[in-house]
Amino acid sequence: MFQTFLTGLREGLEAALVVSILLTFLVRGDHRDRIPALWAGVGVAIAVSFGFGAVLHFTSANMSFEAQEAFGGILSIVAVGFVTWMVFWMKRASRTIKGDLTHKMEAALKLGASGVFLAALLAVGREGLETALFLYPTLQAQGSGIGPALGAVLGIATAVGIGFLLYRGAVNLNLATFFKITGAGLIVIAAGVLAYGVHDLQEAAILPGLNTLAWDINGWDITSWYGTLLKGIFNVGPQMTVLEVITYVAYLVPTMVLFLRPLPASDTGSTSSAPGEHTATAAPTLTPPTTVPAGGHS
C-alpha cells in the first residue's frame, strides 16, 4: 500500500501542480474565458489515463499464463525506464517548472481555446499515462487485495488536496526538496518493480535461473509486520532468485548515487528569462490570484 500511495502522491502532485500553475496564469492574466478549455483538457487526460490502465489490465487478463508473465515483465521494465527518466527530469526541472509552463501557456493562448485544451491535455496526460504505466506492475507485484489500489487512490487524493492548497496559497512547499525525497522513494520502488519484472520473465522462460534462489526463507510469515514492511516498501519477499537480487542491486545502487549527487553548477545557476519564472536559487511557489472566478476551483 505504501508503494502505491507514494506513486499516486508523487505523480498526482506533479499533475496537480501543473493544473495549479496553468489556472493561476489564466486567472492572473485575465483569461478566465479559457478556464473551461483548461478543465476540458484535464478531464480528457484523466479519462485517457484510466482507459490506458483498463487496456493494460484487460489485455493481460485474456492472455495465457506464459504470455501474462512476459507481458508483465516487459511492462515492468518499460515502466521503470519511464519512472527513472521522470525522477531525473523533475530533479532538474522542479525549480523552473513554473516559468516553463507559463511560456507554453502563453504560446497556447495564441491558438485560442483549442490551444489551452491541448496544453492541459498534454501536460496532465503525460503524468496520467506515466502513473498508469507504473501502477500496473506495482499493483501486480503487491498481489491481490484492496490495499494497493486504495493506497494509489489515497495518494492521488492527497496530491489533489495539496495542489488545491498550493493554489490558494494556504501552504508553502519546497518542491525541490519534496521531489528529491519522493524521487528517492520511487527509485527504491522501481528497483523492486524491476526485480519483479525479471521474475515474470523467468516465469515465462524468457530469462534463465527461475530455480536458482538467492534465499528461501521457509516459514517466513509475509503477513507479519516485518514481512509487510519489507514487501510493501522494498518489494523483498521470502523467495528471490539470484538474477532478481543482482538486478535489484545493480539498478538501485548506481541510480540512487546519481540521483542524490548534487547538480553541476551549470544546472543550478540560471537567470529567469520571463516574469514569474523562478531561478534555481529558490524553489517555486504559487501566488494565489487576487480574485477567483466562480467555479474556478472545481
Side-chain angles (χ1 to χ4, degrees):
M1 182 172 178
F2 175 79
Q3 287 189 354
T4 54
F5 175 82
L6 180 60
T7 301
L9 175 63
R10 167 64 184 251
E11 296 290 342
L13 186 58
E14 286 187 26
L17 179 64
V18 167
V19 174
S20 298
I21 292 174
L22 297 180
L23 184 59
T24 299
F25 174 80
L26 292 177
V27 173
R28 292 176 65 86
D30 199 23
H31 299 292
R32 296 176 177 84
D33 58 320
R34 301 306 185 199
I35 290 177
L38 171 70
W39 288 121
V42 171
V44 172
I46 293 173
V48 170
S49 300
F50 273 104
F52 180 62
V55 168
L56 292 179
H57 173 73
F58 289 112
T59 298
S60 175
N62 293 321
M63 293 179 174
S64 65
F65 174 77
E66 290 78 8
Q68 282 184 350
E69 297 301 301
F71 182 72
I74 293 171
L75 276 185
S76 296
I77 295 172
V78 172
V80 169
F82 271 106
V83 168
T84 304
W85 171 84
M86 180 268 295
V87 295
F88 278 94
W89 175 83
M90 185 53 71
K91 178 183 177 181
R92 295 176 179 273
S94 62
R95 297 182 183 273
T96 59
I97 187 172
K98 182 177 180 180
D100 294 340
L101 288 173
T102 296
H103 288 313
K104 291 179 181 178
M105 184 56 80
E106 287 174 346
L109 282 171
K110 297 178 182 178
L111 300 177
S114 60
V116 174
F117 170 84
L118 187 60
L121 173 63
L122 294 177
V124 178
R126 185 189 69 177
E127 304 298 339
L129 292 177
E130 285 181 357
T131 303
L133 182 62
F134 193 56
L135 279 178
Y136 174 80
T138 305
L139 290 171
Q140 295 293 107
Q142 291 293 294
S144 60
I146 195 174
L150 180 61
V153 172
L154 292 176
I156 294 173
T158 302
V160 172
I162 294 174
F164 176 77
L165 293 176
L166 284 171
Y167 174 68
R168 295 302 299 267
V171 296
N172 291 319
L173 181 66
N174 187 310
L175 296 178
T177 300
F178 174 83
F179 286 125
K180 182 176 183 179
I181 294 173
T182 56
L186 280 185
I187 288 173
V188 174
I189 294 173
V193 170
L194 184 59
Y196 182 80
V198 167
H199 183 80
D200 277 351
L201 294 178
Q202 290 178 314
E203 291 276 5
I206 295 176
L207 292 178
L210 178 61
N211 297 317
T212 306
L213 299 179
W215 59 71
D216 183 1
I217 310 176
N218 292 319
W220 184 40
D221 185 8
I222 198 170
T223 62
S224 64
W225 68 267
Y226 53 86
T228 301
L229 183 67
L230 290 174
K231 180 66 176 177
I233 298 178
F234 300 102
N235 207 34
V236 175
Q239 289 184 338
M240 291 189 70
T241 67
V242 172
L243 186 56
E244 281 184 83
V245 175
I246 292 175
T247 301
Y248 187 99
V249 176
Y251 170 84
L252 178 62
V253 174
T255 305
M256 188 68 76
V257 169
L258 290 174
F259 179 73
L260 296 178
R261 187 176 62 180
L263 288 172
S266 58
D267 293 327
T268 57
S270 62
T271 303
S272 295
S273 58
E277 181 176 353
H278 292 259
T279 65
T281 58
T285 57
L286 294 176
T287 303
T290 55
T291 59
V292 180
H297 298 301
S298 60

